[in-house]
Amino acid sequence: MIILITGASHTGKTLLAQKMLEKYKYPYLSIDHLKMGLIRSGNTELTPEDDGPLTEYLWPIVREIVKTSIENRQNLIVEGCYIPFRWRREFDEGYLPSIRFICLAMTDQYIDSHFEAIKAHGCEIEARLDDSWCTAEQLKKDNRQMIEGFQTAGEQVTLITENYADSIIGLLG
């Protein structure tokens, strides 16, 4: 089984991946780690701020890792924001039954009422070196984009509306 976890920044993708690792004992791949390895090694001129181009650069690599894992009958959790809205169209029908897709997104109301807690939990699993860009307005914009893009593509989005733990508890199975 491959579990793809995506969503905007600060939605708890890495925390969910960690909880799934602990429960299912599946390894997980952070697309952010792949991104930084390619950037730091000089294999791309892209920077961490180049979100759109990074998705187009990273997705073919991630997609083929997913296919290889399925072909080898290996379990893997893949988490990160660099999964394109069209992801499903890039897999033959034979692969799709082996992929579970999860998109986490926060509503505007949730962000407005929990912004300080969202920021405080930003380093729950990983240490963020610079979180100064993170404002309530930016989070709302990023989450709206994820909701609209994935829903338009026909994907289900897990909306975080009141309590993060309650919103994701069902995702753990």
Side-chain angles (χ1 to χ4, degrees):
M1 174 61 63
I2 305 301
I3 303 171
L4 293 179
I5 303 172
T6 194
S9 182
H10 288 75
T11 54
K13 298 178 300 294
T14 307
L15 178 60
L16 179 59
Q18 180 67 37
K19 288 184 178 299
M20 288 184 158
L21 164 82
E22 292 165 5
K23 179 172 181 164
Y24 300 119
K25 310 297 187 234
Y26 294 178
Y28 80 82
L29 168 68
S30 166
I31 302 174
D32 278 340
H33 291 172
L34 178 61
K35 167 189 79 175
M36 292 310 298
L38 290 164
I39 290 171
R40 287 181 169 181
S41 67
N43 283 293
T44 181
E45 298 293 319
L46 296 170
T47 71
E49 289 78 35
D50 295 327
D51 286 341
L54 278 167
T55 298
E56 295 307 312
Y57 181 72
L58 294 168
W59 177 244
I61 298 165
V62 172
R63 181 190 64 223
E64 297 308 314
I65 290 170
V66 168
K67 287 179 181 178
T68 301
S69 296
I70 292 169
E71 291 161 0
N72 290 339
R73 296 188 186 109
Q74 295 173 301
N75 299 313
L76 181 64
I77 300 163
V78 178
E79 68 86 13
C81 60
Y82 303 104
I83 297 173
F85 303 135
R86 69 178 189 281
W87 76 269
R88 189 175 298 271
R89 294 191 305 256
E90 297 190 19
F91 289 94
D92 293 337
E93 289 298 316
Y95 291 103
L96 292 174
S98 299
I99 301 172
R100 179 178 176 202
F101 176 78
I102 298 170
C103 178
L104 300 175
M106 298 178 286
T107 63
D108 285 358
Q109 296 78 13
Y110 182 82
I111 294 167
D112 286 337
S113 59
H114 295 87
F115 180 68
E116 293 306 319
I118 292 165
K119 289 266 299 193
H121 287 285
C123 292
E124 190 91 8
I125 299 295
E126 60 188 342
R128 294 177 186 268
L129 298 179
D130 180 14
D131 215 12
S132 60
W133 66 269
C134 183
T135 64
E137 289 309 311
Q138 186 64 50
L139 285 181
K140 287 191 272 188
K141 177 183 174 220
D142 293 347
N143 278 272
R144 280 187 224 119
Q145 181 181 18
M146 286 288 179
I147 294 166
E148 181 181 325
F150 281 113
Q151 285 181 341
T152 299
E155 300 293 344
Q156 181 177 341
V157 176
T158 299
L159 292 177
I160 301 166
T161 59
E162 294 180 27
N163 179 294
Y164 177 80
D166 291 344
S167 297
I168 68 160
I169 198 81
L171 300 174
L172 294 172

